Amino acid sequence: MGIETAFIFLFILAMAAAVAARRLRAPYTVVLVLTGLVLGALNLFPAPHLTKGLLFSVILPGLLFEAAFNLDARELRNSWITITTLAVPGVIASMVLVALALSPATGALTAAPGFDWKYALVFGALIAATDPVAVVALFRSIGAPRRLTTLLEGESLLNDGTAIVFFTLSLALVTGTGTTGGALLLQFFSSVGGGALIGMVTGAAASFLMRRLQEPMIEITLTTVAAYGSFVAGESLHSSGVIATVVCGMLCGNLGASPAMTAATRAALGTFWEYLTFALNSIVFLLIGFEVRLSNLLHYWLPILFAYCVVTLSRAAILTTGHVLLGWSRERIPWRWSVVLTWGGLRGALAMVLALSLPQDFAYRDLIVSMTFGVALLSILLQGLTMSPLLVRLGIVGKPADRVGLEVRRGRIQAAEAALAEIDRLSHQNVAAPQLLDELRAEYRQIISKAERELRELGLESRPATPLDLREIRLRILGMERERVMRAYRQGQLRTASRDTLLADIDTRLSRLERMDQSAAVDPSSSRENPPA
């Protein structure tokens, strides 16, 4: 079977897994891993191997860019201390704790005599990066607090880069190619700093072009080039390609995708990256399942179980320390969030690929690879499947039935309001009898009143409008105005000069809205972020 046929089968499996996940109400990525496990054990067809080249050249840049592109700079700025602490000192602390726990002094790995702290440090570095794709997708679907989602996703974006750098340094320490502390420290800062600089240059250049282009296909191509180009540039210049792509994505999403972007461009760009993320995640989580060999996991089940407990407890210790240290700051984390962040620290494809990239003659390679695969598999299945009940148990989100009731009634209100707007439009155009329109208007108003009454009776009232809601409404209305002007121009109802005058007026109002938005971000009292509960 050729590689093309294999990928066709993988996408068919991805579609089937998506349908099954929806029917079972299970996390999509967990279903993908289970599908890969079953098919890998049955050996029905040879799947491509999850290699470092495949992950770094195809999968990782797209996933990193999309996540960074959709991060709100203001939300990130409000939590930058917490995220940076978790992504750099937190990764270092996790490495050290895991290395100490697996060192010969503990006697944990009696089946591997000679497994000293250096090898434990390599394992600690490659397992330090979190991969909360399944959890973030779940957060978005059930309406978890936005700041909690930003914390988990922002930490993951940054700790991918720092974990890769520390893995490279720890590997150099074991092989004796860079043993001095000063050299290791210099290499770390040059890799991270160089990646950030490359990301800023490519992101600024792409953003400059995005703000001057209004062609959806060109902007999609531009963001694709920026995502993969920044990664390739970072790796080619011996810097962190991960950091370069993350910084580039954040600049493009917050500087390039300004409110002046047309509604058509926003929709096209969002749809493209949403599908690309779905496709890349489908491939990587299916291949995770195919890569796991259950016989190896059963052979090393005791070290795997111990390593999983160590990794989970070390993350809990780091989050607990962060909760205490940040308790008196404006970035304090509620203890319930600390529990969720601990349990949401899943390990995934990056850790597995780093383990597979170890040289074939590397001592204890089989043990490290098996422990990595086992920890990743346990975290995806155990933590991924129990995250939703944990959020409900902690009171962070409502019960599924409550969420469905809220969404259904909100949707019913929105649909009825859209119908009322259409009735008003027909009334202004005098295309129907006023008595008929009045009857329909009364019918839809009754639907709205009933839905609002049910929300109050169930205690599911919608939250009052926030400045973000108002901003989004204004953006949507201005986008509709722009589209209506362009449609009239294409239909020959407007000349070029008239079109340009109208579009200039819309652009002026968009720019004014953007300036007001930036002023609100500078003034802390006007922030839309609510204090954490």
Side-chain angles (χ1 to χ4, degrees):
M1 180 185 295
I3 188 69
E4 301 88 353
T5 308
F7 272 102
I8 291 173
F9 274 114
L10 288 176
F11 278 112
I12 293 174
L13 291 173
M15 290 189 295
V19 174
R22 185 177 294 273
R23 295 283 178 86
L24 299 173
R25 295 184 180 179
Y28 170 59
T29 50
V30 174
V31 176
L32 286 172
V33 172
L34 289 174
T35 303
L37 275 173
V38 173
L39 295 178
L42 296 176
N43 198 23
L44 295 180
F45 70 93
H49 288 292
L50 186 59
T51 62
K52 186 176 181 180
L54 176 62
L55 185 75
F56 277 45
S57 301
V58 179
I59 296 174
L60 202 56
L63 294 179
L64 291 172
F65 185 87
E66 188 275 339
F69 187 88
N70 289 311
L71 276 179
D72 191 301
R74 288 172 300 171
E75 293 180 359
L76 203 61
R77 189 162 52 243
N78 289 335
S79 303
W80 74 271
I81 296 177
T82 306
I83 292 173
T84 306
T85 301
L86 292 175
V88 182
V91 168
I92 298 174
S94 176
M95 289 172 50
V96 172
L97 290 174
V98 171
L100 291 175
L102 296 179
S103 65
T106 64
L109 300 178
T110 55
F115 189 92
D116 62 16
W117 66 271
K118 290 183 179 180
Y119 299 104
L121 192 64
V122 171
F123 174 73
L126 64 87
I127 207 68
T130 57
D131 187 10
V133 172
V135 176
V136 170
L138 178 67
F139 280 9
R140 290 172 177 170
S141 66
I142 64 178
R146 292 183 63 177
R147 182 174 175 241
L148 179 59
T149 306
T150 301
L151 286 174
L152 194 64
E153 194 166 20
E155 177 210 352
S156 174
L157 287 173
L158 293 181
N159 71 18
D160 279 355
T162 53
I164 291 173
V165 173
F166 284 127
F167 170 74
T168 305
L169 299 181
S170 63
L171 196 58
L173 184 65
V174 173
T175 57
T177 57
T179 54
T180 65
L184 295 177
L185 192 64
L186 179 62
Q187 188 176 349
F188 169 75
F189 282 110
S190 64
S191 180
V192 174
L197 181 60
I198 292 169
M200 284 190 282
V201 172
T202 54
S207 299
F208 176 82
L209 294 174
M210 288 173 66
R211 293 174 70 91
R212 283 155 179 78
L213 299 172
Q214 296 297 339
E215 292 293 334
M217 296 303 104
I218 296 177
E219 296 205 34
I220 288 174
T221 306
L222 179 61
T223 53
T224 306
V225 171
Y228 287 88
S230 58
F231 192 94
V232 171
E235 294 295 314
S236 300
L237 297 175
H238 306 290
S239 298
S240 174
V242 172
I243 297 295
T245 303
V246 169
V247 173
C248 178
M250 290 175 58
L251 284 176
C252 290
N254 291 276
L255 183 62
S258 66
M261 183 180 288
T262 65
T265 302
R266 285 180 181 276
L269 204 60
T271 301
F272 169 78
W273 281 104
E274 185 178 1
Y275 169 72
L276 186 63
T277 303
F278 167 79
L280 296 177
N281 275 324
S282 300
I283 295 297
V284 74
F285 279 96
L286 274 174
L287 294 183
I288 285 176
F290 277 103
E291 288 289 343
V292 173
R293 293 292 174 262
L294 295 178
S295 57
N296 291 346
L297 301 187
L298 292 175
H299 179 70
Y300 291 109
W301 72 271
L302 189 57
I304 288 172
L305 185 60
F306 184 81
Y308 173 75
C309 294
V310 167
V311 169
T312 305
L313 291 175
S314 65
R315 182 165 177 83
I318 293 167
L319 265 300
T320 301
T321 304
H323 174 76
V324 173
L325 294 177
L326 298 172
W328 300 100
S329 72
R330 68 179 182 86
E331 292 191 21
R332 62 189 182 278
I333 305 175
W335 71 266
R336 296 176 297 170
W337 288 20
S338 299
V339 174
V340 172
L341 290 172
T342 298
W343 202 239
L346 279 64
R347 270 60 178 181
L350 180 61
M352 297 172 67
V353 168
L354 291 179
L356 290 172
S357 69
L358 290 171
Q360 291 294 331
D361 59 350
F362 190 81
Y364 308 105
R365 184 181 187 275
D366 288 343
L367 174 61
I368 292 176
V369 170
S370 297
M371 287 197 303
T372 304
F373 279 35
V375 170
L377 188 62
L378 283 174
S379 68
I380 291 173
L381 297 181
L382 181 59
Q383 295 167 226
L385 286 172
T386 56
M387 179 55 72
S388 183
L390 178 64
L391 290 169
V392 174
R393 181 75 175 176
L394 294 174
I396 295 177
V397 299
K399 296 180 180 179
D402 292 343
R403 293 197 301 269
V404 171
L406 175 63
E407 292 174 0
V408 167
R409 287 164 178 81
R410 279 181 174 174
R412 193 169 291 157
I413 291 173
Q414 292 172 355
E417 288 175 343
L420 286 175
E422 180 65 16
I423 291 171
D424 289 340
R425 189 180 69 84
L426 294 174
S427 177
H428 290 314
Q429 293 178 351
N430 295 319
V431 295
Q435 183 179 359
L436 176 60
L437 295 178
D438 289 340
E439 291 177 2
L440 289 173
R441 189 179 287 111
E443 180 180 334
Y444 280 105
R445 284 174 178 169
Q446 186 176 0
I447 291 175
I448 294 174
S449 299
K450 181 181 178 182
E452 290 176 342
R453 185 174 65 254
E454 290 174 349
L455 285 175
R456 289 192 297 269
E457 291 173 353
L458 293 173
L460 302 176
E461 293 92 347
S462 302
R463 287 177 296 180
T466 63
L468 175 63
D469 298 326
L470 181 59
R471 175 179 177 273
E472 289 180 344
I473 291 171
R474 285 175 171 167
L475 284 174
R476 179 174 297 185
I477 292 173
L478 289 172
M480 291 178 64
E481 286 188 36
R482 177 187 286 274
E483 291 302 309
R484 184 64 186 88
V485 169
M486 292 303 298
R487 185 163 65 250
Y489 173 72
R490 289 191 295 267
Q491 293 173 352
Q493 299 173 6
L494 294 174
R495 295 185 181 182
T496 302
S498 303
R499 179 205 63 180
D500 292 343
T501 300
L502 292 170
L503 290 181
D505 176 65
I506 295 172
D507 289 341
T508 300
R509 285 181 284 161
L510 281 167
S511 300
R512 188 183 305 122
L513 178 60
E514 184 181 17
R515 289 195 298 272
M516 291 171 59
D517 209 26
Q518 292 173 346
S519 300
V522 173
D523 182 9
S525 63
S526 63
S527 175
R528 69 171 185 272
E529 189 72 56
N530 294 324

